[in-house]
Amino acid sequence: MPELPEVETVKEVLKKELLNQKILDVIVNYPKMIEQISVEDFIKNLKNQVIIDIKRRGKWLLFELNDYFLLSHLRMEGKYYIKNFDDEVTRHQHVIFKFKDFELRYNDTRKFGRMYLLKKNNIYNTKPLSELGYEPWDVNLNIEYLKSKYKNKKNPIKTVLLDQSIIVGIGNIYDDEILFLSKINPYKKASDLTDIELSSIINNTKVVLEKAIKLGGTTIKSYTSSEGVHGRFQNELLVHTKKECPICHNKLNIEKINGRSTYYCANCQK
DNA sequence: CAGGTCTCCTGCTAGC
DNA sequence: TGCTAGCAGGAGACCT
C-alpha cells in the first residue's frame, strides 16, 4: 500500500521515463477513476500536453503539464507501468496514456485510485491538495503545531497519525513503526500526549520515512511501486507484520484500532 | 467541529 | 476439492 516513501519512489522512476514526453492520446477504461470532469474533457485536455515535471505532495503524484496538473492518488494498489503498444492490456489497467514510443498504464486491482485534472493556477489552494497538512520535513511541523491540532482529538494517536490534514504521508504501516520507535501506546489519546512524546513523533516520522525512501519503499504482498521495482524497507520493519518485539522479545499485540490492523508492544509502548 | 459508520473494490484466505 | 463469507484498507460522504 503506497504511503509517502512509495509515492516518492514512483515519482523518481517516472521522472526518468516521462519528462518532456508529449501525451498523444488517452484511454480511460474505468470512468469512475476520474474526478470532477467528464472523461471526454479529461482526454481532450490531456492531448498534446507535455510532462514538464513530476512532483509529490503527501501521497499525491503531481504531473505538471503545460496547462494543467494531473493529480494521481494510488490509494491501496495503484501502480504505473511503462508498456509497449502491443503489450496485452489486462483487466486492471484502467487509464492508458499514449506517448510517441510507449504507453504509460495506470494499473489498480481494487480501483480505489483517483485522478484529478486541474487548471494550473493555484492548485495547492484547491481541493484536494488544499486539505493537506504539513510534509514531515516542513519546518512548521513542530510541537506547538501538533499541540494545537491534537488539543481536541480524543481518538487514539494511531488513528490521528493517519489524518492527512495534520501531517501528510503516513499510512498504516509507517504509523506502527513511528509509534514503536517513539515508545507510545497506539491507544493513547492524541490530546494526552506530552511535549516529549510529540517531539518523538515528529523526529521518528522523519527517521522512518527518510529510511524508507532511501530503500525505495516497502513491498508487502502485491504492492510494487512500478513494475519490476521492489522496495526493500519491508526488511527493516520493526513491528508491522511482525510477531515479536525486537527490543524486549515479548509477543506483539495485533489489534484493530478504528478498523486498522495495529502491531505494537504493550511492554515497550506506554 | 469531532467522531462514528458506510462505501468503494477485488484478491486472498479461513472455514466448512 | 470447491465453495463462500469475511477481510484488508485510504479517504470521502454522510450522519449524529
Side-chain angles (χ1 to χ4, degrees):
Chain A
M1 44 231 71
E3 302 181 30
L4 187 152
E6 289 72 34
V7 179
E8 183 68 24
T9 303
V10 176
K11 184 198 81 182
E12 290 302 319
V13 170
L14 291 182
K15 270 177 92 164
K16 291 193 184 99
E17 307 284 345
L18 298 178
L19 285 194
N20 302 316
Q21 292 283 342
K22 186 193 275 188
I23 299 170
L24 300 178
D25 202 1
V26 181
I27 295 169
V28 177
N29 293 324
Y30 184 66
K32 283 179 75 175
M33 202 144 269
I34 313 303
E35 296 280 4
Q36 289 183 346
I37 60 170
S38 69
V39 168
E40 292 72 26
D41 287 343
F42 181 79
I43 295 170
K44 189 183 74 189
N45 294 340
L46 278 173
K47 274 191 191 176
N48 294 315
Q49 294 284 312
V50 174
I51 297 179
I52 294 170
D53 199 3
I54 306 176
K55 305 171 195 280
R56 180 193 58 73
R57 174 78 174 99
K59 301 178 194 173
W60 287 91
L61 269 178
L62 285 55
F63 295 84
E64 184 177 359
L65 311 170
N66 304 96
D67 305 317
Y68 299 90
F69 266 98
L70 171 64
L71 308 190
S72 170
H73 198 302
L74 307 175
R75 292 285 185 93
M76 304 302 301
E77 310 215 30
K79 305 168 188 69
Y80 280 99
Y81 295 161
I82 304 282
K83 291 282 185 183
N84 294 317
F85 301 118
D86 56 358
D87 287 331
E88 186 196 351
V89 177
T90 71
R91 65 194 227 92
H92 296 306
Q93 291 170 2
H94 307 301
V95 184
I96 298 173
F97 304 88
K98 292 179 182 289
F99 297 91
K100 181 167 165 285
D101 299 317
F102 58 86
E103 297 182 351
L104 175 70
R105 298 186 188 167
Y106 178 71
N107 191 99
D108 191 340
T109 36
R110 286 186 206 171
K111 299 181 176 169
F112 277 7
R114 292 293 178 265
M115 292 181 190
Y116 286 78
L117 189 63
L118 301 177
K119 275 270 200 295
K120 221 168 162 177
N121 55 329
N122 227 7
I123 57 154
Y124 292 105
N125 294 318
T126 308
K127 281 187 182 182
L129 300 187
S130 59
E131 308 298 303
L132 298 178
Y134 289 127
E135 293 284 325
W137 303 276
D138 195 310
V139 290
N140 295 304
L141 175 57
N142 53 38
I143 294 173
E144 291 311 310
Y145 169 76
L146 279 191
K147 253 190 198 169
S148 70
K149 288 289 185 182
Y150 289 179
K151 193 173 55 186
N152 297 317
K153 296 277 186 198
K154 302 297 174 200
N155 263 343
I157 182 60
K158 163 77 186 195
T159 304
V160 175
L161 270 185
L162 294 169
D163 186 338
Q164 303 296 305
S165 72
I166 301 175
I167 308 173
V168 296
I170 301 169
N172 200 43
I173 299 172
Y174 298 123
D175 194 338
D176 286 354
E177 298 297 305
I178 291 163
L179 290 176
F180 178 74
L181 285 178
S182 304
K183 301 188 190 301
I184 298 170
N185 189 291
Y187 287 99
K188 191 157 184 180
K189 285 181 194 163
S191 57
D192 289 347
L193 294 173
T194 64
D195 283 12
I196 291 173
E197 288 171 326
L198 294 174
S199 173
S200 281
I201 286 175
I202 293 167
N203 291 329
N204 287 319
T205 297
K206 288 185 263 198
V207 166
V208 169
L209 296 184
E210 275 166 16
K211 189 167 180 187
I213 289 170
K214 268 193 195 126
L215 293 170
T218 302
T219 304
I220 290 180
K221 291 186 182 169
S222 62
Y223 185 73
T224 58
S225 57
S226 190
E227 193 165 52
V229 178
H230 294 269
R232 284 161 285 129
F233 191 75
Q234 66 277 9
N235 303 324
E236 308 288 327
L237 292 174
L238 297 171
V239 286
H240 195 86
T241 72
K242 303 295 179 186
K243 292 195 164 64
E244 184 189 300
C245 174
I247 292 183
C248 75
H249 302 291
N250 279 12
K251 200 174 170 210
L252 290 175
N253 292 50
I254 306 171
E255 292 159 16
K256 286 248 181 189
I257 301 181
N258 276 9
R260 298 289 176 264
S261 57
T262 303
Y263 294 71
Y264 71 102
C265 175
N267 185 39
C268 295
Q269 293 173 255
K270 300 295 185 188

